[in-house]
Amino acid sequence: GHKKMQAKTPILQAKDVMRRNVVAIDGMATVQEAIAKMQSENVTALIVNKRDPSDAWGMVTVADLVREVIAPGRPPDDTNVYEIMTKPVITVPPDMDIRYVARLLHRVGVRRAPVEARGEMVGMISLSDLVLRKGVL
């Protein structure tokens, strides 16, 4: 009956739906460089490298660029990534159930998070990946 059907559906984890192309940038880079990197790598978010092992990861997204630079008319070639990035950034473990990932992102009020395994960024997961990817729901 009904119970059997549910047991058959594997519970997806962050690693099953994450995007593997994680692109990093230095905080000292300009917004112009960040935009160029997003274009060449075809991503909408960049991880901002730690300055040292005890530092936190940062992230900069297209939304940050629009809100902080493009809309207010700041010069992209004279604005640094560290000035507009989000830091520290919430990270998700690869084996987290996607339902909990969705709940966490929603609670924190962010649309995406890097997936971190043993101190390394192994992927990026977004609410749109969770909801729109075939077979997730």
Side-chain angles (χ1 to χ4, degrees), residues 8 10 13 19-20 36 39 43 49 53-54 57 62 70 78 87 89-90 95 98 104-105 114 118 130-133:
K8 234 167 59 176
Q13 298 178 332
R19 291 162 190 258
R20 291 179 192 281
Q39 288 170 333
V43 293
N49 289 322
S54 65
W57 299 99
V62 167
I70 298 168
D78 198 35
K87 184 174 177 175
V89 77
I90 298 280
D95 57 356
I98 62 166
L104 175 67
L105 296 186
R118 295 173 302 282
L130 291 173
V131 177
L132 304 178
R133 173 133 174 214

Side-chain angles (χ1 to χ4, degrees), residues 60-94:
V60 63
T61 67
V62 167
D64 297 329
L65 299 176
V66 171
R67 187 179 59 248
E68 302 292 335
V69 180
I70 298 168
R74 283 169 78 176
D77 55 349
D78 198 35
T79 305
N80 296 97
V81 167
Y82 77 82
E83 298 177 66
I84 67 158
M85 68 185 177
T86 300
K87 184 174 177 175
V89 77
I90 298 280
T91 63
V92 169

